[in-house]
Amino acid sequence: MKIRYLCAVALVAAGVLAGCSSGGTTASGGAVVGVDYPRSDTDFWNAYIKYVPQFAGRFGLDLKTTNSQNDVATLTANVQTMISQGVKGVVMAPQDTAAIIPTLQQLAGKKIPVVSVDTRPDQGNVYMVVRADNRAYGEKACRFLGTKLGGRGKVVMLQGDLASINGRDRTEAFDDCMKQNFPAVTVFGEATNWDAGTAAQKLQTRLTANPDIKGVYMQSSFALSGTLQLLKQRGLLVPPSDPKHVFVVSNDGIPEELEKIRAGEMDATVSQPADLFAQYALQYVKDAIDGKKPVPGRTDHDSTIVAVRDGLMEDQLAAPLVTADGAVFGPVASVKVDDKSLWGNSKS
């Protein structure tokens, strides 16, 4: 396991992960599985990259890994390589959930099962989708900000990529929740394509035009550094007790977010389970190879498998709202930032 872990870390530092196999970290003769990492430019996905080989060793799987770096053409090419290497299953996290459909059709034609992590394809079937309820992400962020603002004021939503089901789900749920529960809150939606530079530039423009903005919803931690830097430059990075404080909520639950919550520099995040994404993606691809059939309903790991459409099931993993004090916001309970169950507090 140590050999495989060092391989992942070294290649993450170099910005590539193509062709890194599991070496001596998995059981000899284990099923060969292809895993495409979607990107290595965020702390969340680098955490996922770290967890994958650990769980591959647990399940006796031999890995062939690539990194598509948020490019669907690269992902398609990587899958062709995996097919040529004789993989028995594929785990991927396609960021463009429409453009991946032909690749899924090709894999289905070759009877190679697919598990999709974090994203759900717009069409076509996979053995299992492993993600959290992304509409709940938007709902939780809305309930937190709406409550903190007393139902009035202006907030900026730094959206992800609306070509992604995740960006659409988080955006639609946040907007719907605000309109229904906090109609006096003005929401400025800014598409960022999950790009930190774009997010910072659009937030700066909004803050200049609307200096009375009191909340920021980042749909991922990609925008964390730029957001906090801008607030600091404007004298707004102050404790929550200060009237100038701008409430900031994110999605991911990376260690840095938890540290910023402790420091009072941001206020909340939704902990997206990087460790469980890796664990259950590999568990399900192994199940698929072994011929097991998934069934909807409650699981033994505090989640629910739902049939999102005919032939497509999704294991919706738990993703709690995390705050400094573990308060309740309408129907949404939060957990305290120091909760040991949060993967972002793990030292491993």
Side-chain angles (χ1 to χ4, degrees), residues 179-346:
K179 290 174 183 176
Q180 180 175 352
N181 299 286
F182 308 104
V185 173
T186 300
V187 178
F188 299 114
E190 300 289 354
T192 70
N193 196 34
W194 307 117
D195 179 74
T198 301
Q201 183 271 319
K202 291 191 173 183
L203 179 58
Q204 182 173 10
T205 299
R206 282 296 182 186
L207 286 171
T208 299
N210 298 270
D212 55 342
I213 282 170
K214 299 302 293 181
V216 178
Y217 170 35
M218 304 179 294
Q219 289 189 358
S220 168
S221 58
F222 75 95
L224 178 63
S225 178
T227 295
L228 297 186
Q229 184 177 10
L230 278 171
L231 294 178
K232 184 176 182 180
Q233 290 172 353
R234 293 171 176 268
L236 302 175
L237 196 62
V238 293
S241 57
D242 192 310
K244 293 188 297 182
H245 182 76
V246 175
F247 291 94
V248 178
V249 58
S250 183
N251 292 158
D252 273 348
I254 62 173
E256 185 181 2
E257 289 177 335
L258 303 188
E259 288 298 328
K260 296 300 183 183
I261 292 173
R262 293 185 187 100
E265 294 182 2
M266 64 177 289
D267 303 276
T269 187
V270 178
S271 180
Q272 184 168 232
D275 54 343
L276 300 185
F277 277 8
Q279 178 178 349
Y280 290 105
L282 293 172
Q283 176 67 71
Y284 284 124
V285 80
K286 184 177 186 297
D287 288 349
I289 294 168
D290 292 344
K292 297 180 180 179
K293 301 296 184 183
V295 294
R298 291 293 296 173
T299 72
D300 60 359
H301 49 271
D302 191 30
S303 69
T304 303
I305 297 175
V306 298
V308 293
R309 59 176 181 263
D310 288 344
L312 183 65
M313 282 188 281
E314 179 173 299
D315 189 351
Q316 296 185 338
L317 302 176
L321 178 68
V322 182
T323 61
D325 58 3
V328 176
F329 303 89
V332 177
S334 68
V335 301
K336 289 186 178 181
V337 67
D338 291 325
D339 193 302
K340 299 302 183 184
S341 69
L342 298 171
W343 71 269
N345 286 325
S346 172

Side-chain angles (χ1 to χ4, degrees), residues 142-160:
C142 159
R143 292 286 185 174
F144 176 84
L145 285 176
T147 301
K148 286 294 186 181
L149 270 60
R152 305 187 67 84
K154 299 176 181 178
V155 302
V156 178
M157 173 170 49
L158 297 175
Q159 302 161 323

